[in-house]
Amino acid sequence: SMTATFILGYAGIIFEENFGFDKSGVALLMSTALWVIFAGTAGASGVAIPEAIATLGDKMQEVSEVVYFLLGAMTIVEIVDSHQGFKVVTDAIDAKDKRGLLWTIGLLTFFMSAILDNLTTTIVMVSLMKKLLADDEDRKIFGAMIVIAANAGGAWTPIGDVTTTMLWINGQISAVPTMISLLLPSLISTLLSIGLLQNEFPPNMPVPPPPSTTTELAPRGRLVFGTGILGLLSVPVFKAVTGLPPYMGMLSALGVIWSLTDVIHAGEEREELKAPAALKKIDTSGVLFFLGILLSVGAMDAAGLLKQLAINLDSVVSDNTIIASVIGAVSAIIDNVPLVAATMSMYDINDVPIDSELWQLIAFCAGT
C-alpha cells in the first residue's frame, strides 16, 4: 500500500500541470499518507506506537536540516537581490560579439552557481540576458546555456545545488574532496556545451547595444553583496571549524546580514530592503515540496522498501558508474531531489563510505 501511495502521489507531482494541482500540496499529502500507513501498521491495533513516532522524529530531524539550510540561503540571496547587489557582477560584462557574450555569461553563471544555488543563479542570469538581447531566438540559445552552466556549476560545491547539499548535510560527501573531484568534470560539461552552442552564431556577430536602464544599486548595496557572498562562502568553513551542522552556519550568516541591513537602514522607510520583506519573496512552496518529498522518502526507508530496492538493483547492476548514470538520465525527466533522497536511503553509509565514487557520481550526474 505504501508503494502504491508513493506511485500515485508521484504521478500527481509529475503531471501537476495536467491535473491543475501544485506539486507541493501533493507532496505534503503523500508524505502524511505514507506515515499514517507506516505508523498504523507498525502496531497491532493500527495506532502509532512509540517506536514509529520516534522514527518519524528522527526523519524529521534529518529533513529539517535541509529545509532550514535552504530557507537561510534563499533569504540571503533575496536580501542581496533587493539591494541590486548582483549588478556588481553583471555590470562587469563587456563582450563585443555574441559568441564572446555566450562564453562570458556561461562561465560567469558556472562560478556564480557554485556560490549561490543554481535556481537563483539561473533567475539572475536570465534577467540579465533579457536586458542584453532583444531577439527571441538568441534568448532561447542563451537560456539553454544558462541552465546547463548553472546546473553544472552547482553540482561541484556543497552549497550550489540542493542535491549536493543533501548529500553533504547527511554525511555522504565532504566539502573539499567533492570540490576537488567534481570541478573538472563539471567544468568540462559546461565548456563542451558552450562550444556546441556557439556554432548557432556566426563569428564576430555584434551584440546590439542594450537599452538604457535606470536600475541602480541600493544604498550600501556593495556592502550587502559582499557580506552575503562571504556569508555563503563561510558555511563550509563554519562546519569544518565548529563541527556543527551546515544549517547552523547558514543561519548564522543570515543573522549577520539580517542585523547588518537593520543597522544600515535604521530610521529609513524602506522596508523592502530588510530581511522580513525578503522572507516574503522566497519560494516557500518549493521548500515545502522538499519537505514533503523528503518525508515521503523517509517513510519508504523506514519501511525497508528502499533497502530492498538497493539489494535488487545491486543484483542486476553492480557498476557504480552505470547506477549513477541511470539516476542522472532519469533526473532529466523526474525531479532529482526525490531520486537522490531515495538513493541516500538505499545505500548504507557503512557499506558505501563517505566521499566514495558512488556518492560523487550521484552528485555530478543528478546535478548535471
Side-chain angles (χ1 to χ4, degrees), residues 236-250:
V237 179
F238 180 92
K239 181 180 185 297
V241 172
T242 67
L244 294 172
Y247 72 91
M248 289 300 298
M250 188 61 75

Side-chain angles (χ1 to χ4, degrees), residues 1-11 30 34 293 296-297 300 338:
S1 62
M2 290 182 69
T3 302
T5 302
F6 186 83
I7 292 173
L8 180 62
Y10 207 76
M30 177 175 66
L34 288 170
I293 281 294
S296 298
V297 172
M300 301 288 283

Side-chain angles (χ1 to χ4, degrees), residues 81 90 120-133 139 146:
D81 190 45
T90 56
T120 301
T121 302
T122 300
I123 293 171
V124 170
M125 299 310 293
V126 166
S127 299
L128 165 70
M129 177 263 300
K130 290 173 69 176
K131 296 176 183 177
L132 297 176
L133 299 169
R139 289 180 175 183
I146 288 170

Side-chain angles (χ1 to χ4, degrees), residues 65-205:
E65 293 189 10
V66 179
V67 170
Y68 288 128
F69 185 95
L70 292 175
L71 283 173
M74 294 164 73
T75 307
I76 290 173
V77 171
E78 285 294 347
I79 293 173
V80 173
D81 190 45
S82 68
H83 287 76
Q84 301 298 324
F86 296 113
K87 279 179 62 63
V88 174
V89 178
T90 56
D91 285 352
I93 296 176
D94 182 25
K96 305 302 181 184
D97 62 89
K98 290 185 179 178
R99 285 192 175 187
L101 184 64
L102 189 75
W103 282 97
T104 301
I105 292 183
L107 292 174
L108 182 60
T109 301
F110 178 83
F111 288 106
M112 278 184 64
S113 182
I115 302 172
L116 311 177
D117 68 277
N118 48 11
L119 176 59
T120 301
T121 302
T122 300
I123 293 171
V124 170
M125 299 310 293
V126 166
S127 299
L128 165 70
M129 177 263 300
K130 290 173 69 176
K131 296 176 183 177
L132 297 176
L133 299 169
D135 184 76
D136 284 344
E137 291 304 314
D138 289 349
R139 289 180 175 183
K140 290 177 183 177
I141 296 168
F142 273 77
M145 177 274 300
I146 288 170
V147 170
I148 293 170
N151 283 336
W156 68 278
T157 67
I159 60 174
D161 181 90
V162 66
T163 53
T164 311
T165 299
M166 288 163 54
L167 290 164
W168 180 48
I169 289 177
N170 284 277
Q172 277 82 8
I173 60 175
S174 53
V176 175
T178 298
M179 294 169 69
I180 294 173
S181 299
L182 298 186
L183 172 59
L184 185 58
S186 297
L187 183 60
I188 288 174
S189 69
T190 302
L191 297 177
L192 287 175
S193 300
I194 298 175
L196 290 172
L197 286 171
Q198 74 168 355
N199 296 322
E200 298 292 328
F201 303 109
N204 302 317
M205 187 176 186

